[in-house]
Amino acid sequence: PPVSGIHASGDDGAYSIALSGGYEDDIDLGECFTYTGEGGRDLKGTVNKPKNLRTAPQSKDQTLTRGNLALSISCDTKNPIRVIRGYKLKSQFAPDEGYRYDGLYTVEKCWFTTGMSGFGVWKFALQRCQDQAPPPWTVTQVLNISIFYLTNHDFFHPLRLIIK
């Protein structure tokens, strides 16, 4: 079966994404995060491991198709996307077990760059929408910070860091 963390349909953009530790390039700051697109992996398995390998190593560049295209459309439309965080995500904002709905986010920026694997990946910067229920993590301190993403398109985006 296909494996994807992006739920999308046609020209409407993305409806939801799941953060579950699929790519080493992702940065999760709670109210904002970068998300690595889908594709670029051979998920057929091998003779020794014949199952669908969700975490197979990157073996080629990602393309701007399917879920990646949908997220880029969402970047243009600014329609909110539901975000689910899973327990496999290496982040202080991940649930201890299972999967959790963490609210609505908008795609603020998308770009193509070389990932940590050495192959081309699509990256998406998402920001939590205002005027919704508070996030499920406990906030004890909020700092205003700026993150400078060095990509082929030098991207500067102000973000808010939430610290437990």
Side-chain angles (χ1 to χ4, degrees), residues 22-35:
Y23 289 88
E24 67 271 13
D25 300 67
D26 295 343
I27 298 170
D28 186 6
L29 300 174
E31 288 197 1
C32 53
F33 58 88
T34 61
Y35 184 84

Side-chain angles (χ1 to χ4, degrees), residues 46-65:
T46 64
V47 174
N48 294 333
K49 295 182 180 180
K51 66 183 251 180
N52 192 346
L53 302 173
R54 177 182 82 75
T55 57
Q58 198 81 16
S59 57
K60 61 183 176 180
D61 292 346
Q62 293 181 350
T63 58
L64 190 59
T65 57

Side-chain angles (χ1 to χ4, degrees), residues 1 5 44 52 62 73 97 129 136 144 155 163:
K44 295 183 182 114
N52 192 346
Q62 293 181 350
I73 291 169
E97 58 185 10
C129 297
N144 289 319
F155 169 54
I163 300 174

